[in-house]
Amino acid sequence: MALELYHHGSSVCAAKVRLVLEEKGLNWQGHYLDILAGEQFDPAYLKLNPKAVVPTLVHDGKVIRESTVICEYLDDVFPETPLRPADPVARATMRIWTKLVDEEVHPSVRPVTYVSTHRHTIMKRSPDEVEEHINSDPHPVWRERKRGWIHQGFAAPDVQVAIRFFAKLLEDMDTTLARSPWLAGDSYSLADGALTPYLNRLDMLGFSDMWSDLPNLTQWFDRVRARPSFEPALFKYLPESLRADMTANGRAAWPEFKKILAAA
Ligand SMILES: N[C@@H](CCC(=O)N[C@@H](CS)C(=O)NCC(=O)O)C(=O)O
């Protein structure tokens, strides 16, 4: 049963899938796409994933897209070490969190990541190459939003609302985690795996002050980081130079970030 994952080291959505693969102890083969260099726009990859995003899973030749769908697919096909609660109410709670990740958390992390760090990496190229990179995005709405993040940085129109969204998300997580150790109850589930890369993204950028006064969330993140799945899923495939760039760029972006949070 061959599992192949098209992924990238800093991609939160790919990390979400790698967490599931690690939690289940599955063997897989990786195809690394440098999404900052535009490798996701390769015509051969567009046939697998017409939205030009990672991850994509190929399982015995069958193509599965969308990270949340991929995680549930893996839990269906490899039910040992289940990552969805058996209780229907807890399972619904889990899905509320993973739905939130797809609908709001991920669309908010993209502007945060681009203006804090990715834009600096992309802007190292010539102006023509930067335009080519932006214009290659097949999704018209994301393409224009991306243009704003890269050229305008923190002044892009959708950035402030995304930053404030995270302040509210962290509080909501903390409130939930006051009642149970994991987001969907007593056991670790796909909900915890889905949120982990986003907390890690903020943490890597040096924004952990955002939850220093949220004890339940802090303890949850400590528990998540202590799991054997964390290090390989989040860091094994992240090139050292990219990790260093993200850390340095994030630190430099924090004052601007903090100003927006304070004005909320
Ligand atoms: N809804 C998709 C979103 C995938 C997505 O946005 N992936 C990002 C990395 S986390 C990507 O490939 N970005 C390419 C780009 O920014 O050009 C999923 O969950 O799989």
Side-chain angles (χ1 to χ4, degrees), residues 32 36 56 67 78 88 98 127 210 215 232:
Y32 195 87
L36 293 172
T56 302
S67 57
F78 303 98
T98 58
M210 288 179 81

Side-chain angles (χ1 to χ4, degrees), residues 10-14 16 35 40-41 49 51-55 65-68 70 102 106 110 114 118 133 137 146 198:
S10 82
S11 156
V12 277
C13 299
K16 192 206 291 186
I35 59 174
Q40 70 275 35
F41 305 126
N49 193 315
K51 289 187 179 170
V53 290
V54 292
R65 290 184 280 269
E66 289 295 326
S67 57
T68 298
I70 295 172
D102 284 342
H106 188 62
R110 295 192 76 190
Y114 267 83
H118 283 357
H133 183 89
D137 193 318
K146 198 184 273 182
Y198 296 91

Side-chain angles (χ1 to χ4, degrees), residues 5 7-23 54-55 66-72 74 83 97-103 105-107 188-198 229-230 233-234:
L5 184 69
H7 69 135
H8 176 250
S10 82
S11 156
V12 277
C13 299
K16 192 206 291 186
V17 173
R18 290 195 301 259
L19 272 171
V20 171
L21 293 165
E22 289 295 330
E23 287 284 337
V54 292
E66 289 295 326
S67 57
T68 298
V69 175
I70 295 172
C71 291
E72 291 225 18
L74 289 170
L83 294 172
W97 283 109
T98 58
K99 195 168 190 302
L100 183 78
V101 168
D102 284 342
E103 290 178 350
V105 180
H106 188 62
Y188 178 90
S189 76
L190 294 183
D192 303 287
L195 267 306
T196 296
Y198 296 91
S229 58
F230 183 83
L234 275 301

